[in-house]
Amino acid sequence: MRNRVTWAGARLAAALVILFVASAGFVAGAVMRGPTVGSAVFLLLGVAGITLFGAGLAVSAGGMLARRPVLEMDADGLRRPARWPLPRRGERVLAWADVAAIAAVRRVTPRGRELDYLVFLPTAELAELARTAERPRLVALTLRDVPATAEAAAWCFAVEPGWDAPLPSVVEEAGRRRPVPLIDRRTR
């Protein structure tokens, strides 16, 4: 599964370009003004802006253009490639034999938007938790900082609107690789 280029990503890149150009304007204004305290402040702000917004633009645009997969499935198991610009050797692999179940979980973001998550559960205990837990404990499957579910969080994927395959086809593909129970907790 890959993330497609979305309008949200394009807007982010455009905003970073605008901020980068504005920072360059700060530097140009400081240089044209001459050596004053105000010019030095504007020069520092401009250089900081060019550095930060330039790095953000490189990461944002590079991530869109690199089109590195979010999730790969093959005969051996699941592969979570490292995010761009990190090297590919940082990817993680989960063998199919270690997948006890797949959970589909829905979480409400702080802005009130619903976001689906696909969690590949590596133990039977986590599968039972996903099957029987109340909503707050269920959401813990998606959080890295909860010790009881940290093992599941490593294999939790937010189903972004830009994925090139919808959630049902991802689950279907996983089922073709190895029959794994699906625990769909998006509606309860």
Side-chain angles (χ1 to χ4, degrees):
M1 282 21 82
R2 295 180 189 275
N3 271 332
R4 293 179 297 215
V5 176
T6 62
W7 285 109
R11 282 192 301 267
L12 175 63
L16 289 168
V17 165
I18 291 168
L19 291 168
F20 182 81
V21 170
S23 297
F26 271 52
V27 170
V31 169
M32 290 189 321
R33 177 80 175 166
T36 64
V37 174
S39 294
V41 170
F42 269 72
L43 184 65
L44 287 174
L45 288 173
V47 168
I50 286 174
T51 303
L52 293 174
F53 299 129
L57 180 61
V59 169
S60 173
M64 283 191 299
L65 298 175
R67 304 239 329 124
R68 202 175 267 184
V70 177
L71 168 66
E72 293 177 335
M73 291 185 213
D74 59 18
D76 299 329
L78 301 167
R79 182 167 281 110
R80 182 177 206 141
R83 295 191 78 136
W84 190 89
L86 298 174
R88 291 288 300 229
R89 68 178 174 268
E91 66 187 18
R92 295 180 180 167
V93 178
L94 179 66
W96 285 116
D98 296 334
V99 178
I102 301 172
V105 180
R106 182 166 287 154
R107 235 173 83 183
V108 178
T109 64
R111 294 180 140 173
R113 193 176 123 225
E114 290 183 340
L115 187 60
D116 289 340
Y117 288 85
L118 192 62
V119 187
F120 292 87
L121 303 168
T123 64
E125 294 82 21
L126 288 171
E128 187 59 29
L129 174 77
R131 204 174 277 111
T132 60
E134 296 296 321
R135 174 74 58 198
R137 293 211 45 214
L138 187 63
V139 168
L141 289 172
T142 66
L143 304 173
R144 292 191 182 282
D145 55 349
V146 178
T149 60
E151 192 176 10
W155 296 101
C156 175
F157 297 89
V159 181
E160 304 276 339
W163 272 22
D164 62 356
L167 186 121
S169 64
V170 174
V171 172
E172 183 179 311
E173 178 68 22
R176 270 191 245 131
R177 304 288 181 178
R178 178 172 183 250
V180 179
L182 171 66
I183 304 164
D184 192 350
R185 294 292 306 269
R186 292 177 292 168
T187 56
R188 290 189 265 160

